[in-house]
Amino acid sequence: MKKTFSTIALLALSVLAFAAPKGMSLKMVPQAIRIDTYEAFVSANLLIVKPEAMPESLDAKLFTVQTAGKERTISGIYRCDEKGTWIADGCCLAFALALDPSCSPLKYDFTSGRNKWVEAYPVKLSLKEGKSLKIKGTQYTQIECAADDMMPNFISESDVMSPRAYTYNSISRAGETTITAAAYEPWDLRHDGVKNPLVIWMHGGGEGGTDVRIALMGNETIALIRPEIQSHFSSEGGAKGAYVLALQSPTRWMDTGEGTTYGDVPSMYSDAVKAAIDEYVRQNGDIDPTRIYIGGCSNGGYMTVNMVLRHPKFFAAAYPVCEAYHNRFISDEQIAMLAKENIWFVQSYDDTTVDPKQFCIPTYERLVKAGAANCWMSMFENIQGKDIPGAKYLGHFSWVYVFNDQVTAAQEQVSDSIVPTNNGGGTVAPQGFRNLFDWMNAQKNR
């Protein structure tokens, strides 16, 4: 009798064990990653997934996220749509990831001398060992959520800028030349009833090609559309802000077709750059033609100086950054012409890529001696970061101060007295303006 009871008890326990709910696997489909742009790098900081059932708990301590094989720190989780926009009852989940520059999907390729997107950017979302999720009474002990490459689905700030392409028959070179571009056109400006300024930017040597997102994100050009910088621009009776046009060279702005120019021979893109600007202005009737501002860094700084030399009094102001137009190729006649322009140079004294003692400084000193009334220069000691406190970058990265909105002073207009300083770049407030962009906003071709 005892044996029979034991057998029955064991069978009952087996049935209960079989009937009890076991841990299950929850499927989540990766939707997109968000890539954010910083002063000297980009980073994938948001993973968006669509779960087959919505978890009841959104505790970051339950999950692990890997991007490109590296485990990331999850700083928050929220419900959203497929693009990561917060929605209380959204069908997706966004996993916010702490900033990590080593997880950049944009890498510099030393062979080509360009920034390039990685060939693949895998992601994986998992439950931590020993953790589980409960959804409507069902216990999930695993998550199935992985993708071999999320690059085709990335989103970024650059998505708000509209891509453009301008193709021309070059006057100085045989064949067609195509300039890629992206434009920022705020709705408020289009409907404020007044004409508004245009800010142009040309990238450095590593951001050429045909993917304009690299030109926007490689040098943090995207900062020009952020509220901090946009707030410096205004038109009388109009809304705050400015149009932004970022141009991209197929190769490098200093390309002659046969080599590199420092101003000794023409760039093969000189005609195409001006033609692209003219066409954009012609298409956008809301731009004030007396308030077109042009700037760029390194290669783009060369092209900035080149454009001002070739088209005097067309641009209301120029802001060349670590510019690579060699002083020895600027004639005295050209200096006399540049002395009548509105120019603000920016560079770091420890730049070893474009030596300011051969490029920016002697040109500026010649302009001062030529009587330039509105030519200025901010000269920093070195490049110190803001996005990552304590970070120091290569001396060539002086665009960091421009896009961090930290160019707040200029050198005294006295030749042979350059005193580099990280306190805004100098000691003088040009025309009374204690900010590069405030000064720029005030310039106008009359």
Side-chain angles (χ1 to χ4, degrees), residues 88-105:
D89 58 349
C91 62
C92 293
L93 290 176
F95 289 78
L97 309 176
L99 176 62
D100 188 340
S102 68
C103 296
S104 173

Side-chain angles (χ1 to χ4, degrees), residues 57-187:
S57 174
L58 297 180
D59 185 354
K61 296 178 181 178
L62 300 177
F63 304 91
T64 64
V65 171
Q66 290 184 352
T67 63
K70 182 175 181 179
E71 186 165 334
R72 304 290 298 275
T73 299
I74 301 172
S75 56
I77 308 172
Y78 61 90
R79 292 182 69 167
C80 63
D81 62 13
E82 289 86 349
K83 294 294 185 180
T85 302
W86 179 86
I87 298 177
D89 58 349
C91 62
C92 293
L93 290 176
F95 289 78
L97 309 176
L99 176 62
D100 188 340
S102 68
C103 296
S104 173
L106 187 65
K107 304 289 186 183
Y108 185 76
D109 179 61
F110 287 92
T111 301
S112 65
R114 290 191 197 175
N115 284 305
K116 293 184 177 181
W117 300 115
V118 294
E119 292 185 4
Y121 198 77
V123 300
K124 184 178 181 180
L125 171 66
S126 309
L127 277 175
K128 288 184 178 178
E129 187 174 350
K131 302 295 183 180
S132 62
L133 288 174
K134 188 177 180 182
I135 304 177
K136 295 182 179 179
T138 301
Q139 203 78 7
Y140 294 89
T141 58
Q142 295 183 46
I143 290 177
E144 295 179 34
C145 184
D148 293 332
D149 183 17
M150 291 299 292
M151 290 309 293
N153 302 310
F154 86 76
I155 56 179
S156 73
E157 286 176 284
S158 66
D159 295 342
V160 305
M161 296 185 71
S162 57
R164 309 290 175 94
Y166 303 99
T167 301
Y168 304 96
N169 287 311
S170 176
I171 298 173
S172 58
R173 297 281 171 179
E176 290 186 337
T177 298
T178 298
I179 299 293
T180 317
Y184 176 63
E185 300 176 334
W187 187 93

Side-chain angles (χ1 to χ4, degrees), residues 95-396:
F95 289 78
L97 309 176
L99 176 62
D100 188 340
S102 68
C103 296
S104 173
L106 187 65
K107 304 289 186 183
Y108 185 76
D109 179 61
F110 287 92
T111 301
S112 65
R114 290 191 197 175
N115 284 305
K116 293 184 177 181
W117 300 115
V118 294
E119 292 185 4
Y121 198 77
V123 300
K124 184 178 181 180
L125 171 66
S126 309
L127 277 175
K128 288 184 178 178
E129 187 174 350
K131 302 295 183 180
S132 62
L133 288 174
K134 188 177 180 182
I135 304 177
K136 295 182 179 179
T138 301
Q139 203 78 7
Y140 294 89
T141 58
Q142 295 183 46
I143 290 177
E144 295 179 34
C145 184
D148 293 332
D149 183 17
M150 291 299 292
M151 290 309 293
N153 302 310
F154 86 76
I155 56 179
S156 73
E157 286 176 284
S158 66
D159 295 342
V160 305
M161 296 185 71
S162 57
R164 309 290 175 94
Y166 303 99
T167 301
Y168 304 96
N169 287 311
S170 176
I171 298 173
S172 58
R173 297 281 171 179
E176 290 186 337
T177 298
T178 298
I179 299 293
T180 317
Y184 176 63
E185 300 176 334
W187 187 93
D188 287 350
L189 298 190
R190 282 202 168 279
H191 297 83
D192 66 358
V194 300
K195 290 186 179 294
N196 293 282
L198 169 65
V199 178
I200 299 168
W201 179 260
M202 290 176 292
H203 60 79
E207 289 71 46
T210 56
D211 186 343
V212 75
R213 296 173 301 179
I214 292 178
L216 294 171
M217 301 171 73
N219 297 134
E220 206 187 6
T221 309
I222 202 71
L224 290 172
I225 77 170
R226 293 174 183 161
E228 185 175 14
I229 291 179
Q230 283 283 307
S231 67
H232 292 292
F233 292 94
S234 62
S235 298
E236 186 175 353
K240 284 274 188 178
Y243 292 99
V244 175
L245 180 66
L247 302 176
Q248 184 182 37
S249 159
T251 57
R252 293 167 289 111
W253 297 119
M254 298 168 69
D255 192 351
T256 67
E258 299 174 352
T260 300
T261 179
Y262 290 91
D264 47 336
V265 294
S267 163
M268 65 185 293
Y269 298 116
S270 295
D271 300 327
V273 168
K274 181 58 165 56
I277 294 170
D278 288 342
E279 184 166 341
Y280 179 73
V281 173
R282 180 183 59 79
Q283 292 172 345
N284 187 345
D286 194 42
I287 289 173
D288 183 347
T290 71
R291 299 182 66 200
I292 300 174
Y293 311 120
I294 188 168
C297 63
S298 193
N299 248 256
Y302 155 83
M303 186 56 79
T304 299
V305 175
N306 185 41
M307 284 293 100
V308 177
L309 285 170
R310 292 170 69 95
H311 306 284
K313 290 302 177 184
F314 178 84
F315 301 100
Y319 59 116
V321 182
C322 54
E323 57 93 359
Y325 202 111
H326 205 293
N327 174 67
R328 72 173 181 267
F329 298 124
I330 303 178
S331 68
D332 290 340
E333 291 76 16
Q334 289 175 316
I335 286 291
M337 182 273 293
L338 285 178
K340 300 174 184 177
E341 300 287 331
N342 306 320
I343 306 174
W344 189 324
F345 298 92
V346 179
Q347 195 157 9
S348 180
Y349 198 72
D350 66 340
D351 191 335
T352 58
T353 304
V354 177
D355 185 355
K357 294 182 289 297
Q358 297 185 48
F359 289 81
C360 171
I361 291 176
T363 299
Y364 171 75
E365 290 178 341
R366 291 170 67 194
L367 287 169
V368 171
K369 290 178 180 178
N374 200 16
C375 289
W376 310 93
M377 181 174 66
S378 295
M379 184 59 63
F380 293 85
E381 298 175 68
N382 47 48
I383 310 299
Q384 298 184 15
K386 186 170 76 171
D387 290 337
I388 300 180
K392 291 187 177 181
Y393 303 113
L394 294 174
H396 191 49

